Every structure is written in C-alpha cells, then in structure tokens.
Amino acid sequence: MTKKMILTCMAIGVSVAAMAQVRVGVKGGWNVANISDANSGSVDKSRSVNSFNVGAIADIPLSPILSLQPGVFYTGKGTKLERGESGSLAYFKTTTGPRYIEVPVNLVGKIPVGNDMRIFLGAGPYAAFGVAGKNKWESTVAGAHTSGESNIKWDDDTPFNDGDPNQGYDKYKRFDYGGNLMAGMEFGNFLVSAQYGLGFGKILSGTDNSSDDKGKNRVWSFSVGYLFGGSK
C-alpha cells in the first residue's frame, strides 16, 4: 500500500469517526426583539417585544473543544411604539411581529468545567426569510377604545435583485441577514444558551441607505435544548 493510499484511508477514518459523533437536537425559547431606531444601530428598550424561537440544530465536532452548529429555526422579531398610559383617555400602541425561517451557522468553542459539563461560546452568520407575522394596533381617544390587526406585507426582494418592482412603504423586506453571538452551558445532552442576533440589513422595503444603522433587527434569545446521541 502506497503512502498516498495510507493517508487517504486515515483521512476517511477520521471523517467517519467525526461523523459518528455528530449530534442533532431540538432547541427553543424566548425572544426579546427590537428594531434599531438610532443612527448608531442602538435601540429604545421600551420598544422591545416578546416573541419565541423553536427549531433544530446539529453539533458537528471539529476538534475536542470546537464544534460547528448549523440550525433551522422559526423565530419571531419585531418592535412596538407606545404613546400615553394604557387605560388613560389618550393612548396609542402599535406592534409589529414578523416571523422568519432563520438558518444560523455558529462556530462554537467548548470548555470542560466538570463531569460531563461544558461552558460554550460561539459566533457566526445567519440568513432569514420572512414567512408570516402581524401588525397590531390599539388606541383610546376620549375614552373610546379601538383595536385591530393585519397580516404583514412582504416585499419580493432577493439578495441579488437590484430592481424590485414590488417595494412599498408598508412592506417588509423578505430577506434578512446578520450575525450571532452566543454563550451557554451543556449538561450532558441538555443545553441552555443566551444569544444576541445583530441584523445587518435594513428590513423596511425600499430602505437601502447605508449611512446609518436604523431599521435593523436586534434580538436577544434565551433558549434550552436537547442533543440526541451520546454526549461529547
């Protein structure tokens, strides 16, 4: 057997061993979402809305302390605008809650801290596609209360389309992208994590001004999960 054949067999063996340790699992939890409203990309905390995330992940070991974690999630984002006090004679509130199919790919470093326990830190990009969501509103004027809701309207943008015929001031861009920072802990097959999603693209239809960072998704996610298979 030549040296080249030996090296090829070794590479195949390492790949098979690594794939044998790949774990898949489920993960879900609570989102605190907002949309940036300042040139710097910061947000007004009073405009945050609660939502959720649920999906599936894979844990692909690259080394004893490093893994690649791709996933697919159904996740909620959005923001609110509120004027006045609820129950007063003059009050107004609008809430927007877009829902996305999101695909993150995080590179995760793991530090053993005990018997089958690891602290992990990770980062990576995400791409998301808008699929649902509602705009809700309620108001009180001179004691008369009204409310309503409507489905979110989506632009037909794609990452490679420069001439979009379906833009509108009342529509959201369907495609979103950004980056994630995450931290958490594994307990055998269980995990808990906190993650911050930083949107890079403006989400309102027709808004492509790159001179500021207004109108971008900002999402804190707090999740629990379970990875099937033997713990790493």
Side-chain angles (χ1 to χ4, degrees), residues 12-208:
I12 293 173
V14 171
S15 298
V16 170
M19 289 302 293
Q21 298 179 46
V22 172
R23 295 182 292 167
V24 296
V26 293
K27 187 177 178 183
W30 171 45
N31 288 351
V32 180
N34 212 326
I35 296 174
S36 60
D37 64 347
N39 290 346
S40 63
S42 62
V43 298
D44 181 346
K45 291 182 180 179
S46 67
R47 299 178 62 175
S48 296
V49 295
N50 294 318
S51 192
F52 66 93
N53 65 87
V54 61
I57 60 171
D59 186 85
I60 305 170
L62 304 177
S63 78
I65 61 170
L66 198 63
S67 290
L68 190 67
Q69 286 189 355
V72 179
F73 287 86
Y74 183 69
T75 186
K77 305 185 182 186
T79 189
K80 71 180 179 183
L81 180 63
E82 196 169 16
R83 294 288 182 266
E85 296 289 336
S86 180
S88 65
L89 294 178
Y91 174 71
F92 178 74
K93 177 182 177 181
T94 61
T95 303
T96 183
R99 303 285 188 257
Y100 295 86
I101 299 296
E102 184 168 299
V103 179
V105 181
N106 293 314
L107 187 64
V108 180
K110 302 182 181 183
I111 304 171
V113 293
N115 184 23
D116 213 13
M117 295 173 57
R118 292 162 294 277
I119 292 174
F120 62 82
L121 300 171
Y126 77 79
F129 190 79
V131 293
K134 290 185 179 295
N135 294 315
K136 298 181 180 181
W137 59 270
E138 59 178 295
S139 67
T140 302
V141 179
H145 182 79
T146 58
S147 63
E149 65 177 43
S150 62
N151 292 329
I152 284 178
K153 297 178 182 179
W154 295 98
D155 199 335
D156 62 3
D157 69 304
T158 70
F160 312 105
N161 185 2
D162 294 326
D164 186 355
N166 190 35
Q167 293 179 350
Y169 73 93
D170 61 342
K171 296 177 181 178
Y172 277 65
K173 292 182 178 179
R174 193 178 288 275
F175 181 76
D176 184 34
Y177 64 98
N180 292 316
L181 296 172
M182 63 185 299
M185 198 161 194
E186 286 187 10
F187 308 86
N189 293 75
F190 293 92
L191 61 88
V192 294
S193 68
Q195 176 177 287
Y196 186 64
L198 186 72
F200 296 158
K202 291 177 178 287
I203 64 171
L204 294 178
S205 175
T207 54
D208 297 314

